[in-house]
Amino acid sequence: MSEQLERVPFTDIHMDDSTKDAVTDALESGRYVKGPQVERFEDEFAEACGTKHAVGLNSGTSANLLGLKSIGVGDDDDVFVPAHTYFASASPILSLGANPVFVDVRSDTYTIDPDDLAAKVAKSDAAKAVIPVHIYGQMAEMERISKIAEENGLRVVSDACQAHLAERDGKKAGSIADVGTFSFYPSKNMTVAGDGGMLVTDDDEIAQRARAFRNHGRDEDGVHRHLGLNHRLSETLAAVGREQLKHVDEWNDGRRRAAETYADRLDDIDEVIVPAEDEANEHVYHLYVVQVPDRDGLREFLDDHSIDTGIHYSTPAHEHPAVTERVGETTVEFAEELCDRIVSLPMHPRITDEEVEYVCDRIEAYYE
Ligand SMILES: Cc1ncc(COP(=O)(O)O)c(C=O)c1O
């Protein structure tokens, strides 16, 4: 049994000297919004994702909202979204007056289940869009989802807020959809040291609409043809994002290495179900989530041994009161069961082998 460690943090956010220098330069430039840092960050991010456009925004939530708005989602449209996701995959649907239809997730990868999607789309007479969420850092089955979308005239907004530079069959997250959305919230695989987001697309019209919507609905000629609010990204934050983007691939490799060690060790414990990686995917392990019996007891035991854990998420998206008030109660079977069994283990690019082994030793001890 490994020796007790002082604390194994859940995550760790890295800011190096070149990031601090970039922020100082941005501050000294005197340009704080609508400037060159955001433009360069957009170009670099689009290139990294393999898309024609990227639009910098003030959060991942705004990216989901403006993504849906830019493809024309509005009153009474049905938008299909997994029940197992963060609330902000679903809340923009309601904000636009549309109707979220909650779809179950696959029992192995936890991404949206294409069979359940097809069944629910077949029952809808207002089907408009689907939001596959690349949950925990692994892409959904985009080829099956794209086929269902094509056959039923749906647009696709892929929520890649947890999957920066993840890949499926060599294509980057966000690129196999009408719109891809990203969050730079501090705990994500890359951050802007604050709130921020990005929308990517190959479609000129979607990009133009999103740019207008983020800036009070103002087109490039200065006319407000749309109703929009302020969803802009700031210059100093974009400067941080540009520095972080340089490291994401290397950081994702660090996460994958830790995931491999976790899987090697935890797969041998009968009570623990480790996450499955679809073989077409390069998972970037934003979170390392296992299923266990007696989740709360395990968390308490790990906390007593100085190991931080989390739950993502304890309530499925369709059960939040803000949702049920609007669309009533629904049942999404597997997503509901999953919420009671999941626990997220410490995961970040700099987690050491010693720390991962220590966490595994303590989980093993708990179930012995
Ligand atoms: C899957 C998912 N969608 C949307 C969001 C919203 O992003 P933000 O917190 O930047 O608004 C998040 C981030 O927490 C997320 O994990």
Side-chain angles (χ1 to χ4, degrees):
M1 170 80 72
S2 48
E3 271 180 35
Q4 168 95 22
L5 296 183
E6 215 165 274
R7 185 101 231 151
V8 184
F10 186 68
T11 191
D12 171 59
I13 299 161
H14 186 65
M15 290 291 149
D16 58 16
D17 286 343
S18 52
T19 308
K20 291 170 196 160
D21 292 344
V23 171
T24 304
D25 290 347
L27 284 174
E28 288 177 353
S29 77
R31 193 76 190 263
Y32 302 127
V33 291
K34 297 194 257 184
Q37 292 299 329
V38 171
E39 277 176 24
R40 285 181 202 142
F41 186 29
E42 290 175 341
D43 290 346
E44 289 156 5
F45 200 81
E47 194 184 339
C49 293
T51 57
K52 191 166 171 194
H53 305 278
V55 181
L57 298 167
N58 57 359
S59 70
T61 309
S62 293
N64 280 343
L65 181 77
L66 299 198
L68 292 170
K69 205 169 157 175
S70 299
I71 57 166
V73 168
D75 281 346
D76 302 325
D77 286 327
D78 280 352
V79 179
F80 301 84
V81 63
H84 186 68
T85 185
Y86 183 56
F87 185 64
S89 305
S91 51
I93 304 171
L94 289 162
S95 295
L96 290 170
N99 178 38
V101 180
F102 293 97
V103 180
D104 218 336
V105 293
R106 278 176 48 164
S107 60
D108 52 355
T109 57
Y110 316 135
T111 51
I112 192 167
D113 175 357
D115 293 330
D116 195 39
L117 172 66
K120 286 179 172 151
V121 169
K123 285 192 203 138
S124 162
D125 49 19
K128 176 79 178 183
V130 54
I131 309 181
V133 179
H134 303 326
I135 193 85
Y136 303 151
Q138 159 154 246
M139 287 177 70
E141 283 171 276
M142 294 310 292
E143 53 300 327
R144 288 188 67 197
I145 293 158
S146 305
K147 190 157 180 279
I148 296 166
E150 214 178 292
E151 288 167 357
N152 294 279
L154 302 183
R155 307 299 295 268
V156 183
V157 174
S158 66
D159 180 336
C161 286
Q162 301 187 0
H164 308 76
L165 306 194
E167 286 182 14
R168 183 168 179 84
D169 289 325
K171 290 206 175 121
K172 297 282 185 200
S175 70
I176 320 175
D178 293 298
V179 176
T181 63
F182 294 86
S183 164
F184 302 126
Y185 181 79
S187 62
K188 299 295 196 234
N189 290 33
M190 63 171 284
T191 183
V192 292
D195 276 311
M198 193 73 83
L199 179 159
V200 299
T201 183
D202 285 328
D203 186 308
D204 296 344
E205 201 183 321
I206 290 174
Q208 191 204 333
R209 285 164 66 83
R211 286 183 199 287
F213 288 140
R214 79 170 161 185
N215 189 31
H216 307 288
R218 189 175 189 263
D219 276 334
E220 271 171 22
D221 59 5
V223 180
H224 295 258
R225 290 191 183 81
H226 322 273
L227 203 55
L229 301 171
N230 178 351
H231 300 273
R232 293 187 305 252
L233 179 65
S234 300
E235 285 286 285
T236 44
L237 299 185
V240 175
R242 294 183 64 205
E243 291 303 315
Q244 291 255 312
L245 183 58
K246 294 176 186 164
H247 302 285
V248 181
D249 276 329
E250 164 207 330
W251 290 342
N252 285 346
D253 286 346
R255 289 172 181 272
R256 289 176 59 78
R257 269 197 303 278
E260 220 174 291
T261 311
Y262 270 135
D264 279 352
R265 287 286 314 275
L266 298 177
D267 215 14
D268 292 338
I269 306 173
D270 287 345
E271 288 85 350
V272 180
I273 300 176
V274 299
E277 184 169 335
D278 184 324
E279 60 181 25
N281 278 339
E282 175 128 328
H283 197 321
V284 296
Y285 292 98
H286 169 56
L287 293 167
Y288 194 84
V289 177
V290 295
Q291 289 184 64
V292 292
D294 184 24
R295 181 256 311 278
D296 296 338
L298 174 66
R299 288 193 77 206
E300 210 178 301
F301 181 82
L302 294 179
D303 185 45
D304 287 345
H305 290 86
S306 310
I307 297 166
D308 292 342
T309 59
I311 303 176
H312 301 85
Y313 301 90
S314 53
T315 307
H318 62 287
E319 286 187 351
H320 289 283
V323 174
T324 54
E325 257 169 34
R326 281 276 296 277
V327 298
E329 309 223 340
T330 42
T331 302
V332 187
E333 215 171 306
F334 180 70
E336 287 167 27
E337 285 172 28
L338 191 60
C339 282
D340 296 330
R341 293 203 299 260
I342 42 179
V343 55
S344 312
L345 302 179
M347 172 54 84
H348 59 85
R350 288 159 294 282
I351 192 167
T352 62
D353 281 348
E354 187 192 14
E355 287 174 316
V356 176
E357 296 284 355
Y358 172 75
V359 175
C360 295
D361 283 348
R362 287 331 186 253
I363 295 175
E364 208 169 67
Y366 182 74
Y367 285 111
E368 249 163 34

